[in-house]
Amino acid sequence: MRRGLKRLVYRVASPVAHGWWSAWRIDHEGCKCVVREGGAVVLVRHTYGDRRRWDLPGGFIRRGEAPVAAARRELREELGLGLTGAELESLGALSLVIGRRTDTVHYFRVELADRVLDWDDGELAEVGWFEPTGLPDPVGEHVEEVLARIPGWLALASVETDPGSPDRG
């Protein structure tokens, strides 16, 4: 499918799906992934929804699909990553009440050996690698909360921003 047509389909389908779920009180599950290399994390801007926000890559969990399988699928579809699933570490889940429905988002983490990504420019408008002290503005809901679950993430941010830190070289 051509990039422009694919983006149009996502932009139309997203509000229709969310409206349908809200009208019929359909709870749904999703997954998002913290993809890291070194100290940096991947954030994406989707071509649908709030296109200004930088968020973690991920998407919906299909009926009968395990959260880790959905995370692996979404990373393949969005970023071109071929993972087995064993590399994915669970960071837990957050439940969000949206209107009359509840959405549960499962979070995972994966460490990469390099920053080579083959991202889908039909679904993603932009992809970037960001350091703890250089997150873009605005970030999606819960991004900073989930990143704080990563061991050492907050320490990296405080060392880099506090010139008096004894850990700073």
Side-chain angles (χ1 to χ4, degrees), residues 20-91:
W20 178 265
W21 295 328
S22 291
W24 295 101
R25 301 178 87 177
I26 299 172
D27 297 341
H28 101 286
E29 288 187 286
C31 62
K32 292 191 180 186
C33 300
V34 176
V35 177
R36 290 186 29 161
E37 187 281 326
V41 65
V42 169
L43 294 178
V44 302
R45 283 190 322 102
H46 285 93
T47 59
Y48 54 89
D50 186 347
R51 297 187 308 260
R52 297 171 301 122
R53 288 186 183 259
W54 288 89
D55 209 341
L56 299 167
F60 302 115
I61 296 175
R62 296 175 179 160
R63 181 174 287 135
E65 187 177 36
V68 71
R72 185 178 61 242
R73 176 182 49 76
E74 286 291 338
L75 289 175
R76 183 180 63 253
E77 291 173 0
E78 289 189 3
L79 301 177
L81 296 176
L83 304 174
T84 65
E87 309 92 336
L88 294 170
E89 174 189 345
S90 176
L91 296 173

